[in-house]
């Protein structure tokens, strides 16, 4: 074997090793592959120049990220939940409940809570956002308390709260039709450089903050410790129940942010369908990003790449004309494959 062949073999061995042992490396390659496929799948026939083709690619990529920024923010919270050994199936229903409260508060018509007292405009928006965040924290704390001190399995707790939050919201909102004031929608729809990228900016800022929380704070280290070995964490002096509850409170806060973003971006909310499937999208993104379903392992940066991978995959399926219902099958298959690969790594 000459020197060149030996060098190629070493490079191949390094690549295989990185693929098996470095989840960020593997998801990065998958994401790069998806971006290449997306680039090839776009229809450039209408482009008159190379610059127009680049503009088409940038606009398509920006729209994909913008439409998935809400899922991206929720996935960041789901990362903490799964690392701690839990699960949250109620994120979509929580989003609907928070969104309904915010819309009723800020509505400028007769049904608006604040408009009755003459409070409208920016003050009303700020109050609505603050109350929405408070509701998200309360709902998250309620779920976390049941999953920690109540010692009910997170799957059961969040399956129950999923049904409770959405059905109660639908009951109280069935005869109410609040309107989102147009100025409020500027929170998500203002153009910067010709692109509406504010949702992406919010997502990136949130990801950076939570990366710091996960890597540099006591709370972040405790979340990993609880997910790795709950008994050992408790013997080490960690208040396991408190950490678990805080994780769900964080999830509630992030869902409230997403509800604010959703209302501002769309200008309305469908209480029956809004947020439906968000839990599957978030779980798929987190697991694809390398977070272990058994807890104790995962990263914010991996989740961000997982969200982008799933988002681009959905865009590709749309470009290729795959029926919408079959796209959900792809997400389900991705979750199964990702978990199987994690089990193979441990074997």
């Amino acid at each position: 074997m000459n020197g060149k062949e030996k060098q190629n073999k070493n490079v191949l061995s390094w690549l295989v090793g990185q693929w098996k042992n470095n989840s960020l490396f593997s998801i990065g390659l998958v994401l790069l592959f998806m971006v290449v496929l997306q680039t090839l799948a776009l229809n450039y026939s209408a482009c008159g120049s190379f610059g127009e083709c680049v503009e088409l690619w940038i606009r398509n990529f920006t729209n994909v990220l913008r439409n998935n920024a809400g899922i991206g923010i929720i996935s960041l919270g789901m990362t903490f939940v799964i690392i701690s050994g839990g699960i949250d199936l109620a994120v979509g229903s929580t989003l609907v409940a928070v969104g309904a409260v915010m819309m009723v508060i800020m509505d400028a018509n007769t049904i608006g809570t604040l408009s009755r007292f003459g409070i409208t405009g920016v003050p009303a928006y700020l109050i609505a956002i603050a109350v929405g965040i408070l509701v998200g924290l309360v709902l998250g704390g309620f779920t976390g308390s049941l999953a920690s001190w109540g010692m009910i399995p997170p799957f059961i707790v969040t399956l129950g709260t999923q049904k409770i939050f959405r059905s109660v919201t639908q009951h109280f909102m069935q005869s109410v039709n609040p309107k989102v004031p147009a100025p409020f929608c500027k929170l998500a729809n203002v153009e910067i450089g010709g692109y509406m990228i504010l949702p992406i900016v919010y997502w990136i800022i949130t990801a950076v903050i939570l990366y710091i929380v996960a890597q540099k704070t006591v709370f972040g280290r405790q979340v990993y410790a609880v997910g790795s070995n709950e008994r050992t964490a408790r013997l080490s002096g960690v208040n396991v129940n408190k950490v678990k509850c805080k994780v769900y409170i964080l999830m509630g806060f992030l869902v409230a942010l997403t509800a604010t973003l959703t209302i501002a971006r769309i200008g309305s909310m469908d209480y029956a369908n809004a947020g439906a499937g968000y839990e599957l999208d978030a779980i798929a993104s987190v697991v694809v990003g390398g977070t272990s379903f058994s807890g104790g392992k995962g990263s914010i940066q991996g989740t961000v790449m997982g969200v982008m991978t799933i988002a681009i995959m959905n865009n590709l399926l749309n470009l290729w004309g795959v029926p919408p219902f079959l796209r959900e099958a792809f997400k389900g298959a991705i979750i199964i494959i990702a978990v199987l690969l994690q089990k193979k790594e441990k074997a």
Side-chain angles (χ1 to χ4, degrees), residues 51-96:
E52 290 182 0
C53 291
V54 173
E55 166 70 15
L56 173 63
W57 187 90
I58 294 176
R59 191 163 297 280
N60 180 76
F61 191 73
T62 302
N63 287 337
V64 170
L65 295 184
R66 178 176 182 270
N67 292 334
N68 287 273
I71 290 293
I73 294 174
I74 287 178
S75 297
L76 298 174
M78 191 69 77
T79 304
F80 279 84
V81 171
I82 294 180
I83 288 176
S84 71
I87 196 74
D88 193 344
L89 303 178
V91 291
S93 298
T94 304
L95 181 143
V96 167

Side-chain angles (χ1 to χ4, degrees), residues 221-242:
R221 291 191 290 271
Q222 289 178 340
V223 171
Y224 280 95
V226 169
S228 296
N229 192 313
E230 187 174 316
R231 183 173 181 273
T232 301
R234 184 175 281 108
L235 293 174
S236 299
V238 176
N239 189 329
V240 173
N241 289 339
K242 190 174 181 179

Side-chain angles (χ1 to χ4, degrees), residues 269-286:
M269 179 167 284
D270 179 358
Y271 307 112
N273 300 307
Y278 275 26
E279 58 282 339
L280 177 61
D281 290 338
I283 292 170
S285 300
V286 171

